[in-house]
Amino acid sequence: MVLEVLNFLQRGMPWRGETLWTVDWFAISLFIIGPLIAGAAAVDASRLTRPGNIHLVVGVSRPHRPYLRAAAWCAGPVAAVHLLAILAGLALGGFSSSTSWLLILTAILVQILAIGWYVAIGSAIGRFASPLIAGAGAALGSFTLIYLLGEGGKDVFEPLALGGATVSRLGYEYDPGYLLAQVAVFAGTGILLLILPIRMRSGVRIPTAAGLSLTLAAAAVVAAGPYAFPSDRLTASPKAPTRCTGAQPTICLYPEHERFEAQLVGHIQTLSGAAKAKGYPSFVPDRVEEISRTYRVNGKGTLGLDIQADAYATGTIDIADIAVELVRPLHCEQLYTGAPPGEAYWQREMSLHATLLSLAGLKVNEEDYPQQIKILSPEQVRTIFADYDRCNLEGA
């Protein structure tokens, strides 16, 4: 878990502040932790049924209690540390979110229940084998289950699809039905496995008739999941940002990134004010809205803003990066799908960028641009933005 936190501080930094991403990131650790605790739980359960201890779980009124206590000692500390790691990650990124907190908390509950589920699998396996065999079998079996029930690439319900974000999840929301199905599967089948009764026959540990029925019931629930439960863990949530400030232009951000508001407003006002003062009104939009992976602006006086990943790592936004956003037609479909724009588009965009920077009195170095640039006149700027309004990216 310590390695997971350190990795989060490095790779997670670019998207820190997105609650959904943070919760999903820490689920990656369960890929390793799950099989390990399944093996540990199997060893504990196996020791309860070895000669000298088996009387504790066979022939008593509540034979499941020793298994439950052993499982709790295995799952409890791991779940507590995992929860603390998630909370620490959320605290580092801030608690502002455009994602429902009820769904965020449910997703965290799913991960905690998954830890208990791994322990329940190990506990069930450990009742029927020696400690060494039980531990190895539970660990390898759980690791296999991750690929069968949780790769996340299939278009069906997968109970062990717990997360693993490596890119921004801004613009997506958890599907409530999917999370509730995971809660039901982990809680329901986990309990069945934890209370699984066994008996001795000719010195061999075997499930009772009731135990066999419980095992089959748990397997049936897991097997039926892909056909009975929702198939999409995340759903598109193309919401416009709601935190808006200023005028001419109005600047709107998502709650996750409100910490950049002062820098963004300052940079945009600097660039827009210089353009207005020097007779380039086409550079001044009515509105600037942050975009997400599912929300795009529609043009018509509104420009899109996509904060660069480096800014989340450093906490500083470069005014030159903001100038890029103010000259890029992020409402046009061609920038997202199909063939990328050609050389003519990039020449125009980079010339727009250099012109805007020069209006604000910022140094423009032609060697920084891979395409040949030129400082444009107000009429040339107006013509290019008129083309952009029609998503004619390369001109005539």
Side-chain angles (χ1 to χ4, degrees), residues 86-142:
I86 294 175
L87 293 177
L90 291 174
L92 284 172
F95 290 99
S96 297
S97 176
S98 55
T99 302
S100 163
W101 273 103
L102 179 59
L103 293 179
I104 291 292
L105 293 175
T106 304
I108 295 173
L109 174 63
V110 167
Q111 292 184 28
I112 300 303
L113 289 175
I115 290 172
W117 196 67
Y118 281 115
V119 169
I121 290 174
S123 179
I125 292 174
R127 298 171 204 208
F128 304 102
S130 65
L132 180 60
I133 295 175
L140 291 174
S142 298

Side-chain angles (χ1 to χ4, degrees), residues 267-289:
H267 290 337
I268 293 174
Q269 287 180 344
T270 295
L271 294 168
S272 297
K276 261 191 273 190
K278 297 184 179 179
Y280 284 77
S282 298
F283 273 127
V284 184
D286 298 325
R287 190 176 180 90
V288 179
E289 293 182 346

Side-chain angles (χ1 to χ4, degrees), residues 18-285:
E18 295 183 27
T19 51
L20 191 156
W21 184 91
T22 299
V23 171
D24 268 13
W25 171 260
F26 282 100
I28 299 173
S29 65
L30 299 182
F31 180 80
I32 299 297
I33 292 174
L36 289 178
I37 59 175
V43 171
D44 284 345
S46 178
R47 287 172 175 168
L48 287 173
T49 52
R50 67 187 179 184
N53 291 338
I54 196 167
H55 65 281
L56 297 173
V57 293
V58 176
V60 296
S61 59
R62 294 183 177 87
H64 58 275
R65 282 192 172 182
Y67 291 119
L68 290 176
R69 284 195 292 268
W73 276 109
C74 183
V78 175
V81 171
H82 186 72
L83 179 59
L84 287 174
I86 294 175
L87 293 177
L90 291 174
L92 284 172
F95 290 99
S96 297
S97 176
S98 55
T99 302
S100 163
W101 273 103
L102 179 59
L103 293 179
I104 291 292
L105 293 175
T106 304
I108 295 173
L109 174 63
V110 167
Q111 292 184 28
I112 300 303
L113 289 175
I115 290 172
W117 196 67
Y118 281 115
V119 169
I121 290 174
S123 179
I125 292 174
R127 298 171 204 208
F128 304 102
S130 65
L132 180 60
I133 295 175
L140 291 174
S142 298
F143 196 76
T144 302
L145 283 177
I146 292 174
Y147 287 95
L148 296 176
L149 304 174
E151 284 192 282
K154 310 181 189 76
D155 191 22
V156 295
F157 173 76
E158 298 173 285
L160 288 177
L162 302 172
T166 55
V167 297
S168 171
R169 293 285 174 88
L170 196 63
Y172 284 90
E173 186 73 273
Y174 289 117
D175 181 88
Y178 200 104
L179 293 180
L180 291 176
Q182 287 179 301
V183 169
V185 168
F186 289 146
T189 61
I191 290 172
L192 294 180
L193 294 173
L194 287 172
I195 64 174
L196 179 66
I198 65 170
R199 61 193 175 100
M200 293 291 291
R201 174 180 288 181
S202 301
V204 178
R205 292 164 281 181
I206 61 173
T208 64
L212 183 60
S213 298
L214 293 177
T215 303
L216 292 175
V221 170
V222 174
Y227 307 98
F229 300 130
S231 59
D232 294 320
R233 181 171 173 274
L234 297 176
T235 57
S237 179
K239 300 174 184 175
T242 55
R243 183 178 176 85
C244 300
T245 187
Q248 293 185 334
T250 298
I251 302 161
C252 300
L253 301 175
Y254 289 104
E256 286 87 342
H257 301 147
E258 62 185 21
R259 63 192 183 279
F260 294 117
E261 182 178 85
Q263 290 185 64
L264 286 167
V265 170
H267 290 337
I268 293 174
Q269 287 180 344
T270 295
L271 294 168
S272 297
K276 261 191 273 190
K278 297 184 179 179
Y280 284 77
S282 298
F283 273 127
V284 184

